[in-house]
Amino acid sequence: MAQVTVYTTTTCPYCVMAKNFLRAQGIPFKEVNVELDPEAARRLVETTGQMGVPQIEINGRWVLGYDPDAIMALWNQTNHP
């Protein structure tokens, strides 16, 4: 099964929407709050070149922002190659 990590901040409404969407789809995920983890924030910007959240990593591939269609497309592609 794909590994999913959601990079968030404390006050981001789209992060809440992304997490709620993943839960509703039954997709397990790990959350990393970059506001509370400056090292994770630095690595995220180095990796994606983006500062905004949410950023969702699914098996090393990225969805930037809250995009349910892109999340599901990548999830399905990763779990059913």
Side-chain angles (χ1 to χ4, degrees), residues 16-17 22-24 29 31 34 37 47 56 63 65-66 76:
V16 173
M17 292 168 65
L22 290 167
R23 286 185 193 107
F29 63 90
E31 179 178 0
V34 296
D37 186 345
T47 302
I56 302 160
V63 175
Y66 174 59
N76 290 329

Side-chain angles (χ1 to χ4, degrees), residues 26-75:
I27 298 173
F29 63 90
K30 174 183 155 187
E31 179 178 0
V32 176
N33 186 322
V34 296
E35 193 175 349
L36 304 175
D37 186 345
E39 180 60 25
R42 183 189 63 73
R43 285 192 314 269
L44 186 64
V45 171
E46 283 180 3
T47 302
T48 67
Q50 302 290 320
M51 292 181 65
V53 289
Q55 292 190 47
I56 302 160
E57 181 182 15
I58 302 174
N59 272 12
R61 297 180 61 193
W62 294 90
V63 175
L64 305 178
Y66 174 59
D67 185 341
D69 292 335
I71 292 167
M72 290 312 297
L74 190 51
W75 174 257

